[in-house]
């Protein structure tokens, strides 16, 4: 992935009524765009310029002098991954077989996975992210604080993420993060995207 602001994979209204067009617009044009611009400003004229975003994140994570670059680069990646982790409810399709089998092996049922995602997001203190990851042939739910991303954990491949920073839900749900999480896992998760990432991890 290069350092840029990719177009949203759907219209700004497409996640309504769970996530309003106003939330998507602020989240994408202000927050996400801001992280990308800050990353571009920070790498300009440095040895990071022109590198793949994933490599910038890994290099910057290795030394605390690059903390600000890490934060902005990781947030750029996490947000692009988040937009693709969601899908308009109207386009909802059955969970792909390869993913369904992995979910059943690791969580018993899809409902158990959804419960774990909601719980992990509700329990994340402060800002951060909830992830479905593949690790050592199994799936698991984790959460990360602030800009942290499973990319820096060589053993984990991210499959899906949900943003639990307040800017992701406050305009719609105010303080009710659990409602945002529940409605998102019930109707907006992009299981094809997760299955595609799982197949990449297995190949
Ligand atoms: Mn965000």
């Amino acid at each position: 992935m290069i350092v840029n602001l990719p177009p949203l994979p759907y219209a700004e209204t497409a996640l309504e009524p769970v996530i309003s067009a106003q939330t998507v617009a602020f989240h994408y044009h202000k927050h996400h765009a801001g992280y990308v611009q800050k990353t571009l400003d920070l790498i300009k004229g440095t040895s990071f310029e022109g590198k793949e975003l994933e490599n910038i994140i890994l290099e910057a994570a290795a030394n605390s002098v690059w903390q600000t670059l890490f934060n902005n680069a990781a947030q750029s990646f996490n947000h692009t991954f988040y937009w693709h982790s969601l899908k308009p409810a109207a386009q909802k399709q059955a969970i792909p077989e390869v993913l369904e089998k992995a979910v059943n092996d690791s969580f018993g049922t899809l409902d158990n996975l959804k419960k774990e995602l909601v719980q992990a997001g509700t329990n994340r203190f402060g800002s951060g992210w909830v992830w479905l990851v593949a690790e050592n042939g199994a799936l698991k739910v984790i959460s990360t604080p602030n800009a942290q991303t499973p990319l820096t954990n060589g053993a984990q491949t991210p499959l899906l993420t949900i943003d639990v920073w307040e800017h992701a839900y406050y305009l719609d749900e105010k303080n009710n993060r659990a409602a945002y999480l529940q409605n998102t896992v019930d109707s907006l998760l992009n299981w094809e995207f997760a299955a595609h990432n799982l197949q990449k991890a297995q190949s």
Side-chain angles (χ1 to χ4, degrees):
M1 201 187 280
I2 56 165
V3 184
N4 76 343
L5 183 67
L8 280 174
Y10 32 71
E12 291 175 14
T13 52
L15 304 178
E16 292 189 330
V18 175
I19 303 175
S20 67
Q22 189 187 25
T23 291
V24 172
F26 272 92
H27 201 170
Y28 176 71
H29 295 290
K30 304 292 180 191
H31 294 276
H32 187 181
Y35 295 126
V36 173
Q37 189 55 54
K38 192 80 192 281
T39 302
L40 289 168
D41 292 345
L42 288 166
I43 63 177
K44 198 168 183 200
T46 75
S47 62
F48 290 103
E49 195 170 9
K51 287 190 176 168
E52 292 276 323
L53 180 59
E54 288 88 339
N55 293 333
I56 294 171
I57 292 167
L58 293 178
E59 276 186 53
N63 190 325
S64 61
V65 301
W66 294 316
Q67 183 71 51
T68 304
L69 174 59
F70 171 81
N71 286 339
N72 284 280
Q75 285 293 80
S76 299
F77 173 88
N78 291 351
H79 279 89
T80 296
F81 203 83
Y82 170 66
W83 299 123
H84 286 276
S85 295
L86 305 180
K87 187 173 179 162
Q91 294 172 22
K92 200 172 176 182
Q93 285 174 0
I95 181 167
E97 215 170 296
V98 57
L99 181 64
E100 186 175 38
K101 186 183 176 309
V103 166
N104 290 342
D105 287 348
S106 295
F107 301 97
T109 66
L110 183 60
D111 267 353
N112 288 343
L113 163 59
K114 289 179 176 177
K115 275 185 203 135
E116 279 203 33
L117 288 166
V118 172
Q119 200 166 34
T122 309
N123 291 344
R124 164 54 47 201
F125 185 79
S127 297
W129 299 84
V130 184
W131 304 84
L132 175 64
V133 300
E135 182 173 7
N136 299 325
L139 304 191
K140 72 191 227 191
V141 170
I142 62 161
S143 78
T144 57
N146 302 315
Q148 292 294 324
T149 175
L151 282 190
T152 56
N153 180 331
Q156 294 176 345
T157 302
L159 306 184
L160 278 180
T161 193
I162 305 173
D163 190 340
V164 294
W165 285 57
E166 284 184 346
H167 63 233
Y169 60 88
Y170 222 84
L171 294 174
D172 300 325
E173 297 288 357
K174 304 297 183 285
N175 59 314
N176 197 346
R177 185 191 287 183
Y180 156 72
L181 282 161
Q182 189 66 57
N183 293 332
T184 298
V185 302
D186 283 342
S187 47
L188 296 180
L189 290 185
N190 186 346
W191 300 114
E192 287 101 10
F193 179 66
H196 171 77
N197 290 323
L198 178 62
Q199 281 171 312
K200 269 199 310 194
Q202 289 171 338
S203 65

